[in-house]
Amino acid sequence: EAGVTQFPSHSVIEKGQTVTLRCDPISGHDNLYWYRRVMGKEIKFLLHFVKESKQDESGMPNNRFLAERTGGTYSTLKVQPAELEDSGVYFCASSLTGGPSEQYFGPGTRLTVT
Amino acid sequence: QKEVEQNSGPLSVPEGAIASLNCTYSDRGSQSFFWYRQYSGKSPELIMFIYSNGDKEDGRFTAQLNKASQYVSLLIRDSQPSDSATYLCAVNMYTGGFKTIFGAGTRLFVKA
């Protein structure tokens, strides 16, 4: 069974540009989460999808970030326009159910904004 | 006050010893509690989760939860050098969705 995949693995962009990160969850996992780890800080929750519906997006930093999960399969996270402080590792995770169930993490996308 | 607090370490134990990792959380509405292990440059992988007061054992690992004290711990018995990693405590709460709050992690070194 394939795990959670994320694309790209690395992205280097200039301040003001747009970047779109993609996450493919494990097949059949309705729950999908986005997290971010800024260097030296803890992993921060961004949002939680159940199928195509956003259940909790309280962790999204500001309106420069837009997450979508059309069709309830893969998800994208767009940052537009990117700022220096957006640099970090963006993780996606998926789980079969919400709550106390195992979240399987993808390998992450390392975003560098210069 | 951070929502989930862990001692950053590093915690150093000799091979074969018991490693004890601790975590406190601030939100009494927290419902389930997770321990993840993260090797450098890798993504977190779940060790175990617990949601009832008391102990939960899985192989060499035991998670302990005390909701009254808002305290979670992880014991690793017979520590091995391969256990050297950063251990992340995470707390899950229902908000309409499920929000998971991570601690900053404790670095563990197991000396051979």
Side-chain angles (χ1 to χ4, degrees):
Chain A
E1 177 186 275
V4 177
T5 58
Q6 293 187 245
F7 182 84
S9 56
H10 292 87
S11 180
V12 181
I13 61 172
E14 293 183 352
K15 176 182 172 180
Q17 290 186 321
T18 297
V19 63
T20 300
L21 313 181
R22 173 170 169 146
C23 169
D24 286 77
I26 292 173
S27 178
H29 281 194
D30 287 341
N31 292 266
L32 186 149
Y33 310 81
W34 282 99
Y35 297 92
R36 176 174 75 172
R37 186 167 207 168
V38 173
M39 186 178 293
K41 302 287 187 180
E42 64 270 22
I43 295 173
K44 288 280 196 184
F45 169 87
L46 297 180
L47 86 162
H48 170 214
F49 281 102
V50 175
K51 297 184 179 179
E52 68 276 8
S53 176
K54 295 174 186 175
Q55 300 296 298
D56 184 332
E57 55 183 325
S58 61
M60 295 288 266
N62 50 61
N63 59 11
R64 295 186 294 104
F65 289 75
L66 175 65
E68 294 180 317
R69 193 182 181 196
T70 307
T73 54
Y74 71 91
S75 175
T76 58
L77 180 65
K78 180 190 288 188
V79 185
Q80 178 183 31
E83 297 289 345
L84 298 178
E85 64 264 25
D86 300 333
S87 296
V89 180
Y90 290 77
F91 289 106
C92 172
S94 72
S95 66
L96 195 57
T97 62
S101 66
E102 180 166 6
Q103 291 184 27
Y104 295 84
F105 277 75
T109 293
R110 181 173 295 278
L111 174 64
T112 302
V113 183
T114 63
Chain B
Q1 182 189 10
K2 289 187 177 181
E3 293 180 89
V4 178
E5 296 216 49
Q6 298 181 253
N7 187 324
S8 62
L11 173 66
S12 185
V13 300
E15 183 175 1
I18 296 175
S20 178
L21 305 163
N22 305 312
C23 170
T24 58
Y25 61 94
S26 61
D27 192 327
R28 287 194 176 273
S30 302
Q31 298 179 321
S32 47
F33 308 85
F34 301 78
W35 283 100
Y36 286 86
R37 177 173 60 196
Q38 187 174 27
Y39 293 108
S40 180
K42 301 294 185 181
S43 55
E45 53 179 333
L46 184 69
I47 298 173
M48 61 193 309
F49 65 84
I50 186 169
Y51 51 85
S52 299
N53 274 326
D55 295 0
K56 179 180 180 182
E57 186 175 318
D58 184 359
R60 296 187 296 113
F61 300 94
T62 298
Q64 298 174 316
L65 174 60
N66 183 325
K67 289 186 178 180
S69 301
Q70 296 175 244
Y71 175 88
V72 194
S73 66
L74 180 71
L75 299 177
I76 306 175
R77 289 180 298 282
D78 188 23
S79 296
Q80 301 297 308
S82 59
D83 294 326
S84 299
T86 296
Y87 288 78
L88 306 173
C89 173
V91 169
N92 190 281
M93 58 193 74
Y94 182 68
T95 58
F98 285 99
K99 181 175 182 177
T100 303
I101 308 297
F102 280 83
T106 298
R107 284 183 297 151
L108 173 66
F109 292 105
V110 181
K111 298 173 294 185

